[in-house]
Amino acid sequence: MVLQDWTIGAYGSDEAGLICGYLFEAGAAQPVRAVDSSQAAEWLARTPVQERAGAERAYMWLHFNLSHAQAERWLMRHAGLSDVFYETLKDGLHSTRIERADDSLIAVINDVHFEFSFEPSDISTLWISVGPRLVVTARSQPLRSVDALRTAVKAGDAPKSSTELLEHLMRAQADVLVKIVRDGTARIDSIEDELLAGRLDHKRARLGTLRRVLVRLQRLLAPEPAALFRLLQTPPLWMSESDAQQLRAATEEFSVVLRDMGALQERIKLLQEEIAANVNEDNNRSLFVLTVVTVLALPINITAGLFGMNVGGIPLAEHKHGFWILVGIVVTFTAVAAWLAFRKKR
C-alpha cells in the first residue's frame, strides 16, 4: 500500500510547517494514514482514554520544517511536548544527546543533507521527541535518514509503536552511513590507484576534505549509541521490553558502522602520510639537483668574477694560451666539485 503524501505544500511544508504527518493504528483496516496539520491537531486534542477506545495502540508521527515560522508555534499550541524539547531547539548546541523528559524521550541527533556531496557543511541537526502516542521530528534542512524513513512509511511500512519508529529511524541513519562509507571507500580506492600510477595532482586536498567530513561525522554521531544504551538501562514505563531490545540491536548496528568509519579515517591517514613522503622525496630530489647545479657553477662564477675585474695585474692577461689555461683550471675545479657532490649522494 502506497500512501499519498499531500501534506507537502509550498517550501516543503503546509501552513503550519508540517512536512508530513502519519497516524499509525495497528488494529485498523488502514494501519497507516497520512494526516495534515488540522487533522493532527484534532487527533491530539482527544484524551488518551477517548483514543484508546477506538485504537489501543494508535500513535502519530509529525515531521516539521523549523525554517517555517509557524512550526514551533503550532507545536506549542497542539503537541503538548515537554519544555525540554523547546529548550533544545533554542540552546544552539548540536552535540548528539538522548535524555528523558517527563514521560518522553528527547533526542538531538545529526544527519547528512539530502544533497550530500562530502562537504563538512552538509551536516545538520534533527530534533526528536518520542512519547507513547506522539513522535515529533523537526529539522531546518532536508536530511537523508528521516527522508528514507518517510519514503518507507509512504510505501506502507507501519511500525507498531513509537519506539519501533525510532528504531526504524536509527536503522535508516545507519544505512545512510553505510552508503557514505562505501562511497568514501570508492573515492579512496580511486585516489590510491592514481597514487600507485604516480599521478599526485590535487590528491592531498581531496583526501583532506574527505577526512574532515568523516571526522566531523564521527565526532557528532559517536555519542549517539552510548547515550541510547545508557537510556535503555532504565527505559520509560510505556516502552515494551521487545521494543527496547530492538532499539539495542539497532544501536549495535549503528556502532559497527561508526567503527567502519573510524577504520576508513585511518586508511585516509596512511594514504596522506604516503603522499607526504612521496612529496618530500620529490622535494629532496629537486633540492639536490639545484645544489649540484650551484656547486658545478661555483668555480666558473668565482673565476669569472676574479678575472673580470678591471684592475691591473690580472694573471695570464698577456699569455697567448691564457684562455685555455683558465678553461682547464675551471674544468678541473668543476670536476672535483662534482666528484665531491656525487660522492655524498652515493
Side-chain angles (χ1 to χ4, degrees):
M1 179 185 62
V2 179
L3 300 178
Q4 181 180 3
D5 193 357
W6 44 263
T7 59
I8 300 178
Y11 305 104
S13 57
D14 67 3
E15 66 277 1
L18 180 66
I19 299 172
C20 63
Y22 299 100
L23 177 62
F24 299 86
E25 297 177 296
Q30 189 177 5
V32 185
R33 180 162 56 91
V35 296
D36 60 10
S37 55
S38 59
Q39 292 171 326
E42 181 182 351
W43 186 85
L44 291 171
R46 304 174 190 171
T47 65
V49 175
Q50 291 172 328
E51 178 218 327
R52 198 177 296 118
E56 187 175 352
R57 302 186 65 182
Y59 71 96
M60 183 174 286
W61 173 36
L62 303 176
H63 182 46
F64 282 88
N65 179 11
L66 291 177
S67 298
H68 198 290
Q70 296 297 324
E72 189 173 345
R73 298 175 188 173
W74 190 96
L75 287 171
M76 297 182 70
R77 186 179 303 117
H78 300 287
L81 302 179
S82 170
D83 292 339
V84 177
F85 178 78
Y86 301 107
E87 291 173 2
T88 58
L89 292 179
K90 298 176 181 178
D91 61 12
L93 300 177
H94 300 282
S95 57
T96 299
R97 57 193 184 276
I98 303 174
E99 56 188 14
R100 289 182 60 175
D102 299 330
D103 197 32
S104 62
L105 304 181
I106 306 298
V108 179
I109 65 175
N110 292 274
D111 195 9
V112 298
H113 291 180
F114 186 80
E115 300 293 339
F116 181 67
S117 58
F118 282 93
E119 294 294 333
S121 59
D122 290 342
I123 303 172
S124 292
T125 305
L126 177 70
W127 290 268
I128 306 173
S129 174
V130 182
R133 65 192 299 264
L134 177 63
V135 177
V136 172
T137 55
R139 54 76 170 167
S140 298
Q141 298 288 338
L143 303 176
R144 281 198 179 184
S145 299
V146 71
D147 189 78
L149 177 61
R150 171 185 167 195
T151 301
V153 171
K154 285 174 62 177
D157 186 12
K160 297 179 180 179
S161 66
S162 58
T163 306
E164 188 174 340
L165 183 72
L166 178 62
E167 178 249 335
H168 283 206
L169 176 60
M170 288 199 63
R171 292 188 187 275
Q173 191 178 24
D175 290 341
V176 169
L177 291 181
V178 167
K179 188 176 186 305
I180 290 175
V181 171
R182 288 175 180 171
D183 291 345
T185 301
R187 292 182 178 217
I188 293 173
D189 289 341
S190 174
I191 293 174
E192 191 172 27
D193 291 342
E194 293 177 1
L195 172 63
L196 294 175
R199 299 190 296 268
L200 292 174
D201 297 339
H202 308 297
K203 302 303 179 297
R204 286 182 296 169
R206 288 163 55 188
L207 282 174
T209 300
L210 184 57
R211 187 180 178 188
R212 284 195 299 273
V213 171
L214 294 176
V215 167
R216 188 179 180 203
L217 269 175
Q218 190 170 39
R219 186 181 72 247
L220 292 173
L221 298 176
E224 187 172 328
L228 196 52
F229 272 126
R230 285 194 301 269
L231 182 67
L232 291 176
Q233 297 300 319
T234 56
L237 296 177
W238 49 265
M239 184 182 296
S240 66
E241 181 58 33
S242 61
D243 285 345
Q245 186 59 37
Q246 289 180 356
L247 205 53
R248 291 189 187 97
T251 304
E252 291 171 358
E253 293 181 10
F254 193 82
S255 300
V256 171
V257 178
L258 288 177
R259 286 196 292 270
D260 291 342
M261 190 175 293
L264 191 60
Q265 291 179 42
E266 288 299 319
R267 186 181 172 193
I268 294 175
K269 182 179 179 181
L270 291 176
L271 276 176
Q272 286 179 315
E273 291 175 354
E274 184 174 353
I275 291 176
N278 289 340
V279 171
N280 287 335
E281 185 177 350
D282 290 341
N283 290 339
N284 291 337
R285 189 180 298 112
S286 300
L287 184 61
F288 173 75
V289 171
L290 180 62
T291 302
V292 169
V293 171
T294 303
V295 169
L296 294 179
L298 186 60
I300 192 172
N301 287 333
I302 293 176
T303 304
L306 288 174
F307 283 82
M309 292 185 296
N310 192 19
V311 294
I314 297 297
L316 305 175
E318 303 297 333
H319 198 286
K320 64 178 181 178
H321 299 298
F323 173 77
W324 296 109
I325 295 173
L326 194 60
V327 169
I329 294 173
V330 170
V331 170
T332 301
F333 277 101
T334 301
V336 172
W339 178 77
L340 291 174
F342 284 102
R343 185 189 65 172
K344 292 183 179 180
K345 178 64 177 178
R346 290 194 298 267

